[in-house]
């Protein structure tokens, strides 16, 4: 029903404008730029014709005709009717076919097409014109009477439902009863006789339900179909769709009437799909497949095996030549790889559709680079063309898409890659078996810092709980290891040494495969393909680097990670976590001694043992990143994370330290916290136990001075974590700066002494002016900032996030993509306030969002100086930062 | 040493102004308003004289003389010397005494006194004028040569140290050797001969160290002492004090020279202290004590027992009469109860000091009310005079201050009161023993919602961990129970059934006492005094109510609490927590059934069992608060809080529910969270399990409708907790509002349907404009808002907060007093943004800060409509809100 609103005439609309826009191989009046007047589909058809592609001819009724339809009270005005009749005549002349012509019947499709795509929301009628006479003609032409009968049946049914509004089920039950009478499984098995009976029954049913016979006159069919499509613009579905998608300001839908062509008119006809380049490798070769004497659906259905496109030169030489011209025209015009649908009707090539072709990540990069090298597009455009996530895929192995997968569970795609390995349930076993040369997959409910060694030894990690930013996910991404996290259906039975999921039981020693890109867990070994970014990868990133304005650093904790990150193009380290350095065998003992110490002298003694280890690590990292800034975060996690969590561990620690197990247990219990995330960690440790940070700062500057003496250029930046007030910062900074100065003075070399802070506590963002006056840099810890701004624990969010996303209460996981309106406001505000106190304040971000393209765009707008992310995300971030600069 | 800065002459300072200000029984030129010129002490002395009090006469050298002293290069200008000499002559005339007069020696004190008090920072000289001749005179006058010798010894020592800058220890060692030679324990036991030797040795030592003899001329003593006091203005100590306390803009110190009077000149002399009203009850009676022939220190030392003031009429009738006049003058002038120090020298009364008297909470209220009733002060002033915390003390029993206490531990003063009881370690035992009539103290590491029944049965609660806003603290305050939390030294040994602290072991069944106001834990039973707020309590609160502009509501969860809160003057309920309603025996089983249910129908079934209980509770609460708004918060804590935490509990639940223990364990384990504070709770439960909130809203409105049908006026307000985004709010509000409307429509009565939200997540504060457009009210949950803004878990803060307070990194526990610059900015911003969308948005606060006077002042400034706090804090909040309105 037309609504009052839709009837309101637009005073600006020019009456007596061109109502009908022809298109065909001879050209068109419209073009791609006329979407508003012709709708998206009409404009595209016009554009294809305009550039000389052989498109089946037809005409478009403009969107303003839709308005006139409603203005006239949901009816086609008589001048429109006259114009349509004239357009049909022209179409008949152009195609050499005729409406109801038994020799060369003209059949058309009638399709909607608004300026903004509303897929499936409005009506379509196909095979229009197929009355009895035309049906006979089609049967003769195709030599396939069954096909012609089926086409007629479908047309009647579609017209009855779409145009006449009759109940579809009534028609389908006729088909079903014929099918069951013949004992057939599918209506596609019905024979000619049965289909003839169906057509007969359809026509009778139509008459009974509609109260008048089925219209035999194609012109009547057409005019009523056009009216029906206009009418569907204000159907409930379409109105709802526009409301939900906030589509406003459109005149209405256009209607496209296009002659239908058939690829099954005999051996000189055919159909196919092709790509202007190889969509899987990106190679500049013509790629596709075709079938002669077939319809498009035959190619899709897979009953007959299509031939490689190369064979078309022999099967239909003229059409193939035309198609090669089309390829050149298309790439030149659209300046992108195109996916083309074509039909050859009696030796004549028709292009039904062309669009930018889907491609693999590998192809995406190669095509963009090669097109730029051939000056088809600019380098700027090449960079813009490649989705950052594609680069990530290129850096990790993928499963062979043709391999069979027995998926037993699906978790979160926490870290990309494709791995197969033996199931182990403990970090120790992972290390042992890996040492024996086995590929292992570590399966845990969740991981903790104790597991890091085992994670490093494993090929992949599977966890039952935890989200995209759980410990397992973050550490795995940092290592570039494949990880599936939060596979909630997986139940680990430690006692039995198995995990169960659904009805399947997987034991220690069984093989599973993990897909870190889809989150799928598969039984057995699935064939993989190695990572191969291709030669164009570096070229593209080089171009991206020249575009972007933000620096890209990596989060890396070891000299090896630092080297890897630099190879990926990192321009420094934005976050060097020092806690992972305490988990080596000798170190963890000293660390635990420090934690179990009763007083400060005992703590200092244990810290003296740790100092040389830290110094060596820092020296290695500074060397790997020589000349580039390395931001070292002082100890962040609560101390209880370093204590063993099980009885065996407690006993081992007690024995190693020569204390009673009860003492270790008691201390662990007293250190345990209700909400460790909000507990005694970060700078709070620094305030309570000054000696820990003092040792770390001493190690940093002793390492830097040692490197400097070797002629290197260390650029350490000391970052104090979890600051919430300026007094926390200045108390620690004053104390630690003095130590750094003393070390540097004693060593007698020049090393920059730079102190700054993470902004990860909401209060720090609010107090950023005071803190900015004291700190040389801010680095947003958006993981914790998101946790605190939302009050979400990223370890526990798995229990309710799925429901939130499903009910659309949240648009996305805020730990993956920065919440711009909430957390983002704090980021913006802290940046502004910090710079109001210190205009040259360096501001970066080192949370997980540093590798997320959408978030990177936000950081660019906010004016950040750099982003920092996992080493394997650095290429993604470089490209995303270029995109952000382009926007 | 004078600094360059202090020498800079102030151009505005008028030279040749009056340098010396006399004061005495005959009046004074200065007054209390002249602190800047005369210093605080000088102005007070002047004021006392101005209103006719018999003050020992003397004179003040103004603060500008201090400047002149420095201007002259740290010397007294000659005109000042001349003026001082003149002033001494006048003083001699006025007192009838003379410098060095052996019959009636004039002795004076020389004291500093800046405009802002700097206690102990500058120098003082006493007994000045006590040369040999004067000493003999004093010996004769007092009939106590030992006293005179001791006074002379002290004067020499003080002068040597303060004026001459000689080392104190050298003088003290002379005293010590005399003492040890005589085998005495204290120098106060030295006899006359020994003291005479000491004086002799002092004079010799002085000469040796100073290179000149001790000045015998009192005028020389005086001039040098005055110079020394001026000099101490720029001593290191004083400069440091001014820097720390940010004291700026002062000219310098004044110097007060005052004649000394002695209460030990024989039987017509004496000394005493008195209060113009009874400082312990506030009764309008003259209260105090005195000793004849004694000095002030004798009263303090407790060697002789002072007499009650009533006896002074007999001992010294004229002085007593004079003192009674003083009492009337003082109360009329200062309009407050005064604490007076007096001395009677030879029958003449002298007032040495008067100041507002310290008083008990009880007296504070009574005095304020009675003074207002007598029009001595206005009611406004009476309200201003009483500290809100005083009211809190009046509502809880206190320990008898005279009772002995064996303190074994000190924790946080979590909830006031004074209780003694038998130690129990479990909630069940608390209930059992209480049922037997025993008073019990529940001792736990920390409490959980399971313990609430036991807490209610106990007299008091002691916890080893947890802060001022831990579960134990919050619940205890709500119940008005005494609680000491976070007594970190207490180690509970469950196996042995004891707790240990220091070397003490306290077993189950032993008696301890808790002081909820001091946080002390005492062994055995300490005598208590019952709570008795007194008749004036209500009067004062009535006056406060007429002044304040914010409403005061209570946080109350049961009909009994609601009744109690209303009796305390609550004007509604600001926070009715519904979770405590689920812990009754029958309820907890249904609740656990709901949690363990596999699907929604099973959950709904269990919820149907809970519905009548909730409805009954709500009906009772609405009735108790009839006509007043009751804000009901929908279920907030995570579900695992309702499951048992130990093996016995798990088995009991499994048996009760007819499921396997393993199932209960498994569910409990799957529900457990790393950071429950940031987990699946609040509205997140409402999104995941809509049926829970649906049942609650149904119960609320069925209860309201039932009350309405009985002629009552229920005013429910439904509060959705833990909102972080407007979509969470609208999703739940839309769903629940429909249910409320359906219930009300079905019952056919008119009940207001009001929905609002807590603002306790930083993101909600940032998004307050969008949320305010949808919600009828905001209630700040400042506990959680503080946790998230700081990233502090209130359950875990005990490990680092003490260090933070000690190192002054934080000015106060932010869970007790709102952090105005951080959390407060979010409160202000959310209020502004919310009201920008909805100008009449009702805004309140229901966190623990609602009962904190300093925070209440902030809420008044921020424009909140109401504050809500524990019932027992309501009187405090009423008074604090009045103070806030006055400010």
């Amino acid at each position: 029903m037309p609504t009052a609103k839709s009837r309101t005439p637009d005073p600006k609309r020019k009456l007596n404008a061109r109502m009908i826009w022809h298109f065909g191989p001879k050209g068109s009046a419209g073009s791609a730029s006329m979407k508003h007047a012709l709708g998206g589909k009409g404009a595209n058809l016009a554009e294809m014709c305009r550039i000389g592609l052989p498109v089946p001819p037809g005409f478009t009724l403009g969107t303003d005709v839709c308005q006139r339809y409603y203005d006239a009270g949901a009816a086609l005005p008589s001048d429109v009717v006259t114009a349509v009749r004239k357009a049909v005549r022209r179409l008949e002349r152009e195609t050499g076919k005729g409406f109801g012509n038994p020799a060369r019947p003209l059949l058309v499709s009638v399709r909607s097409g608004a300026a903004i795509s509303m897929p499936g929301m409005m009506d379509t009628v196909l095979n229009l014109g197929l009355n009895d006479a035309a049906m006979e003609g089609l049967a003769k032409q195709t030599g396939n009477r069954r096909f012609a009968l089926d086409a007629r049946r479908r047309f009647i049914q579609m017209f009855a439902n779409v145009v006449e509004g009759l109940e579809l089920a009534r028609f389908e039950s006729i088909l079903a009863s014929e099918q069951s009478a013949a004992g057939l499984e599918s209506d596609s098995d019905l024979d000619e006789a049965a289909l003839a009976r169906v057509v007969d029954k359809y026509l009778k049913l139509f008459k009974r339900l509609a109260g008048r016979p089925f219209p035999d006159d194609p012109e009547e069919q057409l005019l009523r179909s056009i009216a029906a499509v206009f009418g569907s613009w204000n159907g409930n579905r379409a109105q709802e769709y526009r409301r939900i998608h906030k589509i406003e300001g459109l005149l209405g839908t256009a209607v496209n009437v296009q002659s239908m062509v058939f690829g099954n008119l005999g051996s000189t006809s055919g159909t196919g799909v092709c790509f202007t380049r190889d969509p899987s490798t990106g190679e500049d070769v013509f790629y596709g497949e075709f079938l002669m004497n077939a319809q498009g659906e035959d190619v899709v259905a897979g009953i007959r095996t299509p031939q490689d496109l190369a064979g078309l030169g022999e099967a239909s030489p003229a059409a193939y030549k035309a198609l090669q011209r089309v390829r050149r025209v298309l790439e030149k015009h659209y300046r992108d790889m195109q996916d083309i649908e074509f039909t050859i009707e009696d030796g004549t090539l028709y292009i039904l559709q062309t669009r930018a072709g889907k491609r693999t990540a590998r192809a995406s990069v190669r095509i963009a680079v090669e097109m730029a090298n051939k000056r088809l597009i600019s380098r700027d455009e090449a960079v813009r063309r490649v989705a950052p996530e594609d680069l990530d895929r290129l850096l990790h192995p993928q499963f062979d898409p043709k391999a069979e997968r027995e998926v037993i569970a699906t978790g979160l795609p926490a870290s990309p890659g494709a791995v197969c390995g033996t199931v182990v349930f403990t970090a120790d076993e992972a290390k042992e078996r890996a040492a024996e040369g086995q590929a292992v997959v570590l399966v845990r409910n969740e991981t903790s810092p104790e597991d890091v060694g085992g994670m490093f030894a494993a090929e992949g990690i599977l966890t039952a709980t935890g989200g995209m930013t759980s410990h397992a996910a973050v550490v795995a991404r940092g290592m570039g290891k494949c990880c599936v996290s939060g596979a909630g259906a997986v139940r680990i039975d430690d006692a039995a040494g198995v995990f169960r999921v659904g009805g399947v039981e997987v034991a220690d020693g069984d093989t599973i495969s993990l897909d870190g890109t889809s989150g799928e867990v598969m039984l057995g070994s699935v064939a993989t393909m190695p990572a191969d970014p291709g030669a164009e990868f570096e070229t593209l990133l080089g171009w991206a680097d020249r575009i972007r304005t933000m620096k890209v650093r990596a989060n890396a904790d070891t000299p090896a990670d630092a080297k890897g990150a630099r190879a990926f193009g990192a321009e420094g380290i934005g976050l060097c976590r020092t806690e992972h350095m305490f988990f080596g065998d000798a170190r963890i003992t000293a660390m635990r001694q420090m934690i179990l110490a009763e007083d400060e002298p005992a703590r200092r003694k244990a810290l003296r043992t740790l100092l040389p280890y830290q110094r060596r690590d820092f020296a290695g990292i500074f060397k790997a990143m020589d000349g580039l800034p390395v931001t070292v975060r002082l100890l962040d996690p609560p101390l209880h994370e370093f204590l063993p969590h099980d009885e065996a561990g407690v006993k081992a620690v007690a024995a190693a330290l020569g204390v009673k197990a009860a003492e270790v247990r008691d201390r662990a219990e007293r250190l345990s916290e209700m909400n460790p995330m909000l507990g005694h960690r970060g700078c709070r440790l620094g305030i309570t136990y000054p000696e820990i940070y003092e040792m770390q700062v001493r190690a940093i500057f002793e390492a830097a001075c040692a490197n400097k003496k070797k002629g290197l250029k260390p650029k350490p930046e000391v970052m104090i974590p979890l600051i919430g007030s300026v007094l926390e910062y200045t108390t620690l900074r004053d104390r630690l700066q003095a130590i750094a100065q003393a070390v540097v003075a004693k060593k007698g070399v020049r090393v920059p002494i730079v102190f700054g802070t993470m902004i990860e506590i909401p209060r720090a963002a609010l107090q950023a002016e005071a803190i900015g006056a004291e700190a040389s840099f801010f680095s947003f810890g958006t993981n914790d900032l998101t946790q605190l701004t939302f009050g979400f624990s990223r370890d526990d969010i798995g229990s309710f996030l799925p429901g939130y996303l499903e009910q659309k209460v949240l648009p996305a996981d805020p730990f993956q993509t920065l919440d711009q309106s909430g957390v983002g406001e704090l980021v913006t505000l802290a940046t502004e306030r910090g710079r109001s106190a210190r205009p040259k304040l360096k501001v970066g971000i080192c949370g997980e969002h540093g590798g997320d393209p959408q978030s990177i765009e936000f950081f660019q707008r906010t004016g950040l100086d750099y982003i920092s992310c996992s080493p394997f995300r650095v290429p993604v971030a470089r490209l995303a930062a270029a995109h952000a600069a382009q926007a």
Side-chain angles (χ1 to χ4, degrees), chain A residues 32 56 62 92 122 140 204 291 336 343 422 432 506 546 548 596 604 618 659 687 712 797 824 843 851:
Chain A
E92 285 178 331
M122 290 180 295
K140 227 174 289 163
K204 282 178 184 148
L291 270 174
D336 197 3
T343 284
T422 304
E432 278 166 31
V506 181
R546 282 199 281 276
R548 68 185 160 87
L596 295 169
R604 286 198 183 274
F618 289 134
V659 299
I687 298 279
L712 300 173
I797 198 174
V843 182

Side-chain angles (χ1 to χ4, degrees), chain A residues 365 368-369 382-383 386 391 536-545 879:
Chain A
V365 174
V369 170
V383 168
V386 178
L391 299 192
E536 297 79 9
F537 182 84
E538 283 299 337
T539 308
L540 188 85
L541 281 175
W543 297 346
D545 289 345
L879 181 55

Side-chain angles (χ1 to χ4, degrees), chain A residues 562-700:
Chain A
K563 260 182 226 151
R566 192 161 194 168
F568 281 130
E571 296 161 297
I573 291 180
L575 175 64
C576 172
R577 286 167 288 239
T578 51
E579 49 268 25
H580 294 153
M581 300 179 181
F582 294 120
F583 277 97
D585 278 343
R587 305 166 178 209
I588 190 70
T589 304
M591 187 68 183
R592 285 168 174 170
Q593 240 157 352
M594 194 276 289
I595 295 167
L596 295 169
E598 278 302 321
D599 54 18
E600 195 190 309
R603 271 196 299 276
R604 286 198 183 274
K605 191 175 158 216
L607 286 165
R608 273 197 294 277
T609 314
L610 288 168
L611 175 65
Y613 291 112
Q614 286 245 302
R615 191 170 47 214
R616 198 185 313 149
D617 287 335
F618 289 134
I621 291 168
F622 294 154
K623 190 176 167 196
M625 280 288 168
D626 193 48
L628 296 174
V630 174
T631 305
V632 180
R633 180 178 72 181
L634 301 180
L635 190 68
D636 186 55
L639 296 182
H640 51 78
E641 280 201 8
F642 298 95
L643 293 181
H645 294 99
D646 56 354
E647 201 48 29
V650 166
K651 282 188 180 142
V653 169
L657 302 185
V659 299
K660 285 183 192 153
E663 199 177 309
V664 176
R665 251 194 312 272
D666 179 58
R667 185 83 178 118
E669 201 170 296
R670 276 163 56 204
L671 282 173
S672 80
E673 296 181 304
M674 298 280 284
N675 296 290
M677 162 61 210
L678 307 175
H680 197 176
R681 48 176 286 241
C683 67
R684 300 164 196 172
L685 292 173
I687 298 279
T688 319
Y689 308 113
E691 53 278 7
I692 301 178
Y693 280 8
E694 285 174 25
M695 180 277 283
Q696 293 200 295
V697 166
R698 185 171 299 283
I700 291 167

Side-chain angles (χ1 to χ4, degrees), chain A residues 155-175:
Chain A
F155 167 56
I156 297 167
Q157 180 173 320
M158 207 178 273
F159 187 92
N161 176 241
V162 167
V163 182
E164 202 68 34
L166 306 181
E167 199 186 342
L168 199 58
R170 302 291 293 269
F171 290 86
E172 282 174 340
S173 77
I174 289 172
L175 197 65

Side-chain angles (χ1 to χ4, degrees), chain A residues 429-448:
Chain A
E429 212 183 336
K431 283 186 275 188
E432 278 166 31
R433 297 228 197 167
E436 292 163 11
Q438 278 189 54
V440 300
V441 172
L442 177 62
V443 182
R444 306 279 294 161
N445 272 316
E446 62 212 337
T447 61
S448 71

